[in-house]
Amino acid sequence: MKNRQWILTSKPMKLVTTDELELRTGEISEPGPGEVLLQLLFISLDPGQQVYMTSTQQNLPGGIVNVGDVVRAWAVGRVVASRSERFPVGSYARDLNGIAGVQEYATLHESTIVKVDPDQAPLPVHLSSLGMPGLTAYFGMLDIGRPREQETVVVSGASGAVGSVAGQVARIKGCRTVGIAGGATKCRYVVEELGFDACVDYRAPDFINALRQACPEGIDVYFDNVGGSVLDACLGHMSMRGRIAFCGAVADYGGSQPYAIRNYMAVLLKGLRWEGVNFYRYADQAPAAIAEMAGWIGAGQLRHREDIHAGLENFVTTFHKLFEGGNFGKLILQVHKDEDI
Ligand SMILES: NC(=O)c1ccc[n+]([C@@H]2O[C@H](COP(=O)([O-])OP(=O)(O)OC[C@H]3O[C@@H](n4cnc5c(N)ncnc54)[C@H](OP(=O)(O)O)[C@@H]3O)[C@@H](O)[C@H]2O)c1
């Protein structure tokens, strides 16, 4: 068996293209003691992959992609060979730390994977609400945003994988939730399907006024997925002692020059707390969080949407959708169909 893999051939200076990536065919390594061979079914495409590919900081949480490496990615797959008693052939698993990679097969140690129950939720949901993005949203909102009942919580990237969960967690906790998303269709989805109280289109010319109108008493918690000018607008409308959960800056990942924030003095003048969200910090609490979110999904309180595209060869064009607003829900690449196995 051969393994098709996307390999980084040089470090990108802006949004990665096929100039820096190559689809190569490699060997499959047989599992050693305690290892399994996973045939990857669904691969998670995340804006953070751009950061892993661009960065040269070896101590980045989770690690980076060096030249010659397979591109990092979370994935869910089926065990096709096993030297682990915990993961028999035919069982499903996903990796814990985004090391499965953008490839067809991954040989992984049992300590780096977790069982996935397809009866609990369809397999792609284990990469969205019940996977890394859902956990990031859950802990980022509850541990860093710390929303209190009746407070106004604003979430950018509100229709996306992390934002959709972050806003719904705040809604479940009794907050007034306001989303920010690109375009009328996504804004309608955020209100009508996800149950936010309002949603503001950041691409509309009256964005800042619309944001103020949607949050007449200011923003108590801002969950930031995008950075840039949207972050600046929210900084300018925070309440006293507000909290910003800084989860990501997708608006800045593809550019060489970071956006120059103007309203940073609000942090000082309003006594704000502005803290980064780090998914890896909460690994030991993940099982309890997944159980709680699975309960919310079962009860119809937490809605999810996956945007699934087929074909490993389409990785680069599909990945670009994250930076163009071309995805609608959690972006996933399907590599094999389950019945192919
Ligand atoms: N800190 C952590 O541990 C951690 C973990 C996971 C993810 N993250 C971060 O969380 C954020 C969201 O990730 P996700 O997987 O949920 O992605 P996503 O929201 O599903 O997809 C990305 C979305 O970003 C929006 N976007 C793209 N360019 C933009 C721009 N210039 N300005 C404003 N919005 C823009 C687009 O939505 P619109 O159509 O609405 O523009 C796009 O659909 C990312 O920044 C990611 O890096 C952080």
Side-chain angles (χ1 to χ4, degrees):
M1 282 198 299
K2 294 288 180 192
N3 190 15
R4 289 187 308 152
Q5 319 175 291
W6 278 99
I7 307 287
L8 190 71
T9 55
S10 61
K11 284 276 176 189
M13 301 301 283
K14 47 187 188 345
L15 185 59
V16 71
T17 68
T18 46
D19 288 346
E20 299 95 13
L21 287 168
E22 211 175 286
L23 183 58
R24 292 187 188 157
T25 302
E27 299 297 321
I28 290 172
S29 44
E30 290 298 319
E35 289 185 334
V36 303
L37 176 63
L38 268 190
Q39 184 176 41
L40 304 187
L41 301 172
F42 297 99
I43 295 178
S44 176
L45 301 195
D46 301 294
Q49 287 168 304
Q50 172 68 24
V51 180
Y52 301 137
M53 286 188 268
T54 315
S55 180
T56 51
Q57 285 179 41
Q58 298 293 342
N59 61 354
L60 205 73
I64 62 170
V65 182
N66 288 306
V67 170
D69 287 351
V70 177
V71 177
R72 291 191 50 191
W74 276 262
V76 62
R78 190 168 171 183
V79 178
V80 290
S82 177
R83 290 188 64 192
S84 157
E85 284 179 12
R86 285 170 44 212
F87 294 91
V89 168
S91 60
Y92 296 96
R94 75 166 168 84
D95 68 312
L96 287 165
N97 295 318
I99 55 169
V102 186
Q103 56 183 343
E104 289 186 281
Y105 295 90
T107 305
L108 298 169
H109 193 265
E110 61 184 5
S111 60
T112 66
I113 57 177
V114 64
K115 268 194 187 133
V116 155
D117 178 2
D119 293 331
Q120 184 187 39
L123 294 177
V125 182
H126 294 271
L127 294 178
S128 64
S129 305
L130 299 183
M132 181 278 289
L135 289 166
T136 303
Y138 179 95
F139 290 114
M141 181 56 76
L142 295 180
D143 189 45
I144 294 178
R146 297 186 201 163
R148 294 185 282 262
E149 231 175 297
Q150 308 290 329
E151 283 190 326
T152 297
V153 175
V154 172
V155 178
S156 56
S159 74
V162 175
S164 61
V165 176
Q168 290 182 91
V169 168
R171 189 205 68 218
I172 289 166
K173 297 295 172 187
C175 299
R176 176 178 154 68
T177 50
V178 176
I180 299 176
T185 306
K186 285 187 177 177
C187 282
R188 211 166 28 247
Y189 164 75
V190 165
V191 173
E192 292 175 6
E193 296 287 324
L194 303 181
F196 284 48
D197 295 283
C199 187
V200 186
D201 178 1
Y202 72 90
R203 294 204 198 118
D206 65 340
F207 164 59
I208 293 185
N209 273 339
L211 180 67
R212 284 176 181 275
Q213 276 171 23
C215 309
E217 291 170 29
I219 302 169
D220 298 303
V221 177
Y222 174 46
F223 191 102
D224 186 15
N225 282 310
V226 304
S229 60
V230 173
L231 165 62
D232 221 356
C234 289
L235 267 171
H237 200 46
M238 294 296 294
S239 303
M240 292 298 290
R241 308 297 308 270
R243 285 85 68 203
I244 299 175
F246 184 33
C247 180
V250 66
D252 257 340
Y253 292 168
S256 47
Q257 203 60 20
Y259 178 90
I261 296 287
R262 295 194 193 102
N263 288 323
Y264 65 91
M265 282 295 283
V267 177
L268 176 66
L269 299 174
K270 292 183 175 170
L272 307 180
R273 193 162 51 78
W274 186 358
E275 189 175 340
V277 178
N278 180 354
F279 158 79
Y280 294 97
R281 210 165 101 188
Y282 304 99
D284 55 335
Q285 301 168 55
I290 289 172
E292 182 163 31
M293 286 193 283
W296 288 338
I297 290 175
Q301 286 180 289
L302 182 65
R303 309 287 286 268
H304 55 88
R305 176 182 181 125
E306 289 73 39
D307 186 356
I308 302 174
H309 297 256
L312 189 72
E313 61 283 4
N314 298 322
F315 166 60
V316 181
T317 47
T318 311
F319 181 63
H320 282 192
K321 290 180 186 295
L322 291 165
F323 304 90
E324 298 156 353
N327 63 308
F328 197 167
K330 170 70 198 127
L331 191 63
I332 289 174
L333 198 60
Q334 182 162 19
V335 182
H336 291 108
K337 287 196 175 136
D338 205 7
E339 58 266 31
D340 289 348
I341 298 169

